[in-house]
Amino acid sequence: MTAVPDARGADRVPAADRGATTIADRVLAKIASRAADEALTAQGGVPEAARAPRATVVKHHDRAHVRVVLELAYPSDIGARCAAVRQWVTWRLQELTGQTVPDVAVHVERLHPTHRHGAPR
């Protein structure tokens, strides 16, 4: 590590030698949960009774492995909604944190019927 004088003549440590920022797994999980909610909202939202999306993240070196648990309305295009969540969570985590996200597993925990019993379909 070699100090470099700055404009004022004071020694300054080069950026590469100053250290690194570490982002905790739980912070990445909060970002992933929010990104999943954003993706679902952009597609028309979720049923009122549905819980907010939840995420867990396991980091290994510079890779974040994400699992998102969510609830969806039924009937709907479940595959398309899960793909949109997967894509948006991946993009947001990479954009906001610089983490590589090789996989986002989306688990649909519950489906909420959008029709009422006895009502015509």
Side-chain angles (χ1 to χ4, degrees), residues 7-21:
R8 296 172 289 158
D11 286 343
R12 195 179 92 181
V13 177
D17 295 335
R18 287 187 223 149
T21 300

Side-chain angles (χ1 to χ4, degrees), residues 93-107:
L93 279 173
Q94 289 176 345
E95 181 74 15
L96 295 174
T97 68
Q99 290 285 309
T100 300
V101 183
D103 62 338
V104 176
V106 178
H107 176 78

Side-chain angles (χ1 to χ4, degrees), residues 30-91:
K30 286 182 181 183
I31 293 169
S33 296
R34 180 64 187 143
D37 189 52
E38 290 170 359
L40 292 172
T41 299
Q43 296 178 346
V46 295
E48 277 187 38
R51 291 172 49 179
R54 299 171 313 283
T56 55
V57 175
V58 176
K59 274 193 330 189
H60 186 67
H61 302 292
D62 283 339
R63 296 172 163 260
H65 301 274
V66 182
R67 181 173 187 260
V68 177
V69 178
L70 46 85
E71 299 180 9
L72 298 173
Y74 183 81
S76 66
D77 188 346
I78 295 168
R81 296 194 83 189
C82 290
V85 167
R86 190 175 297 112
Q87 182 180 19
W88 189 251
V89 168
T90 299
W91 184 80

